[in-house]
Amino acid sequence: YQRRVRGVLHLGKGMVKSLLVVECQSNVNWFPFFENAVIRYSDGTTEPITVDQAEWTDIAVTSYDTGLFVSIRAAKKPLPNSPQSRDRNLSVDFVLLRSISHGIVGQDSRNTLFGFMHADVPAVNSLASAYMCLEKPIVYGQLKQIEKRLGKENFPLIPQSYYPSFRTMILSPDMPSVVKVAHTHAGYGKMKVTSTEQWNDLRSIVALHDDYATSERFIEWDYDSRVQKIGSHYRLFKRRSPNWKGNVGYSSILEEVEVTDWHRRLADECAKAFGGLDILGLDLVHEEKTDKEWILELNDTAIGLVHAVEEEDMTYMRDLVVEKMERVFGEKREREKLKGQAVSETGEKQQIPEEPAADVIERLQKELRLLNVQREREREEAQKTIQELERKKEADKKKEESSLIKNWFS
């Protein structure tokens, strides 16, 4: 019985570690990358890693004192040879975040992120950093700290103004400017403003929503670039585009170039933000007139990957996740050993007090209720499958009878 319960909530040491990849691109398949992946501990033992993948909108979490219970509904476009075609329940030991939890209208799964945080689930990137990176002004504040520490010459952050609401957007910035409204990514909520009249028009639109806005000088650029860092691996991409938004449209020319020491240092400094970013992308723009690169923004764990090197970078992320799981759960094992073998000053082992019987009963009753819920869902799935097979059987029978009648008349 306890083994079945631990299969749901992964209580105790368990025999496997469960990894959940939150990936909102339905065509990206993480299952093959973690096939046969294992955690290797310092004592020579190993522990398999089981992986599941889902979008934010398909995930429901409940955080108990005994663990995190996760329900995942069947995907609209399930990946082949994966469990995504059915509903499933599982406990999650580790999370790989490959999608932001708050995007444009209708894309808000922050409460699910809070559930992971409530259960203190380890993740790449850390859940705390993912939460902080949801709002651009907070990220800009971290970049500002780096600029103050290194100096503007060594960390050329683009100057930016912040407006908590339309009411403070009184003085128009120098023109032309780029105005960014709210938290959105991927070019959404951004507008190039070239006159005071346009500024006032935009201000009247911001007044319709409870959003903040920022403004920064528009830079006449000939290319923009991104420094990508995945663990200890770096890449540098340069992009040329006829659009002022380089990430919009299909006319961009993208190339990977050699990473310079300067770009590597920038990425290393940004990797210290919010307690550490394992995965990041730092965006810069090159001013053609002055031959100077300006730092625009910092992106965290959900950075898009370039198609030409996507599989290779996904492999780097896989290795990063396994490495961090080994460190996190290896340290947990060591703590449990020390706790279970508390040694007195005389060198004798002290027995750790057992859990009170009443607490054990309460905990097991709660786990049993969760297990019954899982059984009921499995029973409903089995009934649906039987009904579908019965309908198919009836259809095949009618088809066969129709064929016999047709042959008889012919």
Side-chain angles (χ1 to χ4, degrees), residues 233-298:
H233 185 267
Y234 302 80
R235 291 190 193 275
L236 177 60
F237 300 100
K238 284 188 177 182
R239 178 177 57 190
R240 300 180 186 273
S241 173
N243 306 307
W244 75 267
K245 289 183 185 179
N247 58 348
V248 174
Y250 300 96
S251 304
S252 301
I253 300 176
L254 183 69
E255 63 174 330
E256 183 176 2
V257 297
E258 184 178 355
V259 183
T260 68
D261 292 338
W262 183 70
H263 287 99
R264 185 177 282 104
R265 283 196 298 271
L266 294 182
D268 288 341
E269 290 295 333
C270 291
K272 301 173 185 176
F274 304 119
L277 302 178
D278 300 301
I279 300 171
L280 65 85
L282 182 66
D283 293 341
L284 305 94
V285 63
H286 181 262
E287 188 171 16
E288 186 174 16
K289 183 178 180 180
T290 62
D291 191 29
K292 180 178 180 178
E293 281 193 279
W294 292 91
I295 297 171
L296 289 182
E297 62 183 23
L298 174 64

Side-chain angles (χ1 to χ4, degrees), residues 375-404:
R375 287 175 176 172
E376 181 63 24
R377 290 181 178 175
E378 291 175 350
R379 186 183 66 82
E380 292 176 355
E381 290 181 9
Q383 287 180 342
K384 290 179 182 178
T385 302
I386 292 172
Q387 291 173 357
E388 291 176 359
L389 291 173
E390 289 290 348
R391 286 194 292 269
K392 187 176 184 300
K393 178 182 176 181
E394 188 67 24
D396 291 343
K397 183 178 179 181
K398 290 181 180 179
K399 184 177 180 181
E400 183 179 356
E401 291 175 351
S402 175
S403 178
L404 288 174

Side-chain angles (χ1 to χ4, degrees), residues 34-53:
F34 286 95
E35 188 176 6
N36 301 322
V38 296
I39 298 174
R40 302 184 186 279
Y41 294 108
S42 58
D43 60 3
T45 60
T46 61
E47 197 169 14
I49 298 173
T50 61
V51 64
D52 209 327
Q53 175 180 332

Side-chain angles (χ1 to χ4, degrees), residues 2 39 52 56 61 69 82 87 130 146 241 256 295 313 367:
Q2 288 184 353
I39 298 174
D52 209 327
W56 278 114
V61 302
F69 188 75
S82 77
D87 297 343
I146 301 174
S241 173
E256 183 176 2
I295 297 171
D313 286 344
E367 294 160 5

